[in-house]
Amino acid sequence: MIGLISATAAGAAARDRLAAAWPDRTRVYEGPVGDAVRAAFAQCEQLVCFLATGAVVRLVAPLLSGKTEDPGVVCVDEGGRFAVSLLGGHAGGANELAREVGDLLGAEPVVTTATDAVDLPGLDTLGLPVEGDVAGVSRALLDGEAVALRAEVAWPLPPLPVADEGPYTILLTDRLVGAAEREVVLRPPTLVVGVGASKGAPVEEVLGLVEGALREAGLSVASVAELATVDAKAGEPGIVEAARRLGVPLVTYSAEELAGVDVPNPSDAPLAAVGTPSVAEAAALVGGGELLVPKRKSAASPAMATCAVVRRPGRGRLAVVGLGPGARDLLTPRAKAELRRASVLVGLDQYVDQIRDLLRPGTRILESGLGAEEERARTAVEEARKGQAVALIGSGDAGVYAMASPALAEASDDIDVVGVPGVTAALAAGAILGAPLGHDHVSISLSDLHTPWEVIERRVRAAAEADIVVTFYNPRSRGRDWQLPKALGILAEHRTPATPVGVVRNASRPDESSRLTTLGALDPATVDMMTVVTVGNTATRDIAGRMVTPRGYRWQSAQEGSQ
């Protein structure tokens, strides 16, 4: 919850804007400011104070207890010009909150955290448990000193300026080791603990078994990703509570799934009880990996719990990112976040140039020219399989005539794949033209490089017969000058020459141009590969110079009847 505190009418007005925008995230604290700050500090994860920074410093100073315990605090000035991250920039999320508040109120976010200031990922912001000399190693990264990365397990990390050797170290491990001097230990969630239990097994017995097995194997409980068991034990209180205390999800599988897993220590007892010869080992091994701790029983007599521990291979991450039609303000926040998260970027050279300034220092860029789409897809998947965090970029939406299809055709279930949607050229052009896509519509590429013309022609004819608005991608190039006239001719068999047609070139880019013409008047020679052509249906109209397709034919009939 975010506590909101203000002292003046101007502050209250800005406060109320936040409260209205985030009704489920915020709570307004009224009354004397000192009392309000103290109450919010104790009750909320974050605070936004519409007060002077000096006043807030004096109010919160006696309340501070520690970096990991204190809430994040953001101050907004009386004029609403700045949103200052005052306390808990990373641990409390104040840096990101300052940016969110700034976006909403039109204020400039002020972030003074050193790593954020130079666009370096904070070691305590990677989403992994961290311990050791975070301040010292971070300072070394900032100062350009050699920091070695020792990755004992593969895990996708954002770009970090690390070296093979150096006096400072970042250790990526799931082993139970303490941080050495000048070292930070990051613990990725690589361990899966399979558990089985008799009915009524106490949580202390289950938890003690799990923690003891990890400790004796030299593994860190902080790297446990999940507890896993059979469906029949999904509600077993001891197992459920053990997962809660460990802070990990409880994942369950059917007896049939577990029975199909090859395990070293099957048993007749679980087969008779729940229908599978193994629960603990099989549940841990369902997703593959290395069995580090074979099935072991608890020390109680009789033993009521079993567990096994598996290290799953680190999974790389492939984000397929749509950059939109070209304008920076049409690049989504989610796309920006994925670009900054990636340690490897793969893309067409001209698209890389569009977003190069958004990448973090140290991002490895693998760019290539036109015609290398399949090679880029293979490269992106290969890098993800190495455990990297990869962003594969495409214009518009990456799933529309772009890189998502070839990439997903290459990818298997050994990597995580995330799709990031983008504004398509058809949508950008539609917004410029008016509302041509107000009813059913279809996009068709006229490029026959990958699709036989016979197939394209059949699709155009189907759209024409169905009276659907059509947006043509790749309409005409120097080597393909006859496809667009042919497609327009097919549409003309079902639509009048007066049918509105919108032509948009370089939608949203600095040299954008657009015009509204008709099916009978359009000269295909004025169209090129940077253009999209939108042909209306029989209901589409030119209204005040805008292309409008009504949401229904009843609306159009009513309009005509009133004239």
Side-chain angles (χ1 to χ4, degrees):
M1 187 62 67
I2 303 172
L4 305 180
I5 301 104
S6 63
T8 67
R15 175 203 69 192
D16 292 344
R17 286 176 61 190
L18 281 189
W22 300 335
D24 298 327
R25 297 178 60 190
T26 58
R27 174 182 173 184
V28 173
Y29 284 80
E30 305 278 7
V33 169
D35 294 342
V37 169
R38 284 187 288 273
F41 199 92
Q43 298 168 3
C44 297
E45 291 82 19
Q46 296 173 319
L47 281 70
V48 179
C49 300
F50 297 86
L51 305 165
T53 55
V56 177
V57 167
R58 287 190 291 273
L59 289 169
V60 303
L63 309 176
L64 301 180
S65 58
K67 182 177 181 179
T68 59
E69 292 83 18
D70 297 329
V73 179
V74 171
C75 294
V76 179
D77 66 290
E78 182 74 3
R81 297 170 299 167
F82 303 104
V84 182
S85 174
L86 184 68
L87 178 70
H90 283 167
N95 291 351
E96 183 57 33
L97 180 60
R99 297 184 182 101
E100 289 187 84
V101 171
D103 286 343
L104 189 60
L105 299 181
E108 181 72 22
V110 178
V111 176
T112 58
T113 305
T115 50
D116 287 39
V118 298
D119 210 16
L120 183 71
L123 297 175
D124 54 351
T125 67
L126 302 181
L128 302 178
V130 58
E131 59 188 68
D133 188 10
V134 175
V137 175
S138 297
R139 186 167 53 251
L141 290 169
L142 290 166
D143 291 343
E145 297 188 53
V147 177
L149 174 63
R150 291 172 48 209
E152 295 184 347
V153 292
W155 199 260
L157 294 175
L160 292 165
V162 293
D164 293 332
E165 296 182 0
Y168 294 85
T169 306
I170 298 172
L171 175 61
L172 190 67
T173 185
D174 55 16
R175 291 189 301 114
L176 184 60
V177 294
E181 186 179 359
R182 295 184 172 185
E183 184 175 69
V184 163
V185 178
L186 298 173
R187 302 196 183 279
T190 56
L191 305 177
V192 177
V193 181
V195 291
S198 303
K199 184 176 181 180
V203 62
E204 290 78 12
E205 183 172 344
V206 176
L207 193 59
L209 172 64
V210 170
E211 292 177 338
L214 291 167
R215 184 171 55 252
E216 291 176 24
L219 300 171
S220 172
V221 69
S223 282
V224 174
E226 62 190 45
L227 293 193
T229 191
V230 66
D231 284 347
K233 297 296 179 179
E236 185 63 44
I239 296 177
V240 172
E241 179 61 14
R244 190 194 69 79
R245 293 190 190 181
L246 290 170
V248 299
L250 176 62
V251 179
T252 65
Y253 301 96
S254 69
E256 291 76 14
E257 287 179 279
L258 298 186
V261 179
D262 187 26
V263 298
N265 299 293
S267 172
D268 292 334
L271 180 61
V274 294
T276 173
S278 173
V279 173
E281 287 182 339
L285 284 166
V286 166
E290 177 187 5
L291 183 62
L292 302 179
V293 179
K295 182 182 72 174
R296 58 183 292 172
K297 297 180 180 180
S298 55
S301 183
M304 300 185 71
T306 60
C307 81
V309 182
V310 164
R311 177 187 287 140
R312 286 186 181 170
R315 293 174 64 86
R317 188 175 192 275
L318 173 61
V320 188
V321 181
L323 300 180
R328 179 57 60 85
D329 59 354
L330 292 182
L331 178 67
T332 67
R334 186 178 299 180
K336 292 179 183 177
E338 289 294 346
L339 294 176
R340 293 169 58 77
R341 178 173 181 167
S343 59
V344 179
L345 181 87
V346 181
L348 180 67
D349 47 15
Q350 58 184 311
Y351 298 152
V352 171
D353 289 340
Q354 290 180 22
I355 48 83
R356 197 182 296 270
D357 62 301
L358 296 177
L359 305 177
R360 291 189 187 273
T363 304
R364 185 155 56 95
I365 300 173
L366 304 176
E367 54 187 315
S368 53
L370 287 168
E373 288 80 8
E374 292 182 358
E375 178 187 342
R376 284 195 292 275
R378 284 194 295 270
T379 297
V381 172
E382 288 169 2
E383 290 293 327
R385 285 183 175 141
K386 296 176 185 176
Q388 300 289 336
V390 182
L392 174 64
I393 59 173
S395 67
D397 183 284
V400 179
Y401 305 125
M403 294 305 302
S405 294
L408 269 61
E410 291 285 337
S412 52
D413 62 358
D414 57 345
I415 62 173
D416 294 325
V417 178
V418 177
V420 182
V423 177
T424 66
L427 294 177
I432 293 165
L433 295 170
L437 309 182
H439 207 295
D440 296 333
H441 54 274
V442 64
S443 295
I444 299 177
S445 171
L446 294 183
S447 172
D448 54 4
L449 294 177
H450 299 288
T451 307
W453 174 254
E454 294 75 15
V455 176
I456 297 173
E457 181 174 338
R458 188 164 66 246
R459 292 170 180 172
V460 174
R461 195 169 299 281
E465 293 173 353
D467 198 26
I468 295 176
V469 175
V470 182
T471 297
F472 289 122
Y473 280 69
N474 307 311
R476 184 177 181 273
S477 68
R478 282 176 293 183
R480 296 186 300 100
D481 59 1
W482 59 268
Q483 286 90 341
L484 179 59
K486 176 68 172 177
L488 294 175
I490 294 171
L491 292 177
E493 296 174 10
H494 300 270
R495 302 176 195 185
T496 69
T499 300
V501 175
V503 181
V504 180
R505 187 176 190 278
N506 284 330
S508 86
R509 299 182 183 182
D511 55 346
E512 168 191 298
S513 64
S514 65
R515 67 184 188 277
L516 187 58
T517 181
T518 64
L519 186 57
L522 174 62
D523 179 5
T526 63
V527 173
D528 63 12
M529 284 288 287
M530 306 304 293
T531 306
V532 291
V533 177
T534 300
V535 182
N537 65 13
T538 56
T540 304
R541 296 291 183 268
D542 177 346
I543 300 176
R546 301 181 185 92
M547 190 175 176
V548 180
T549 301
R551 293 181 61 186
Y553 288 89
R554 293 180 181 178
W555 178 87
Q556 184 65 30
S557 299
Q559 289 289 102
E560 292 173 348
S562 64
Q563 294 175 358

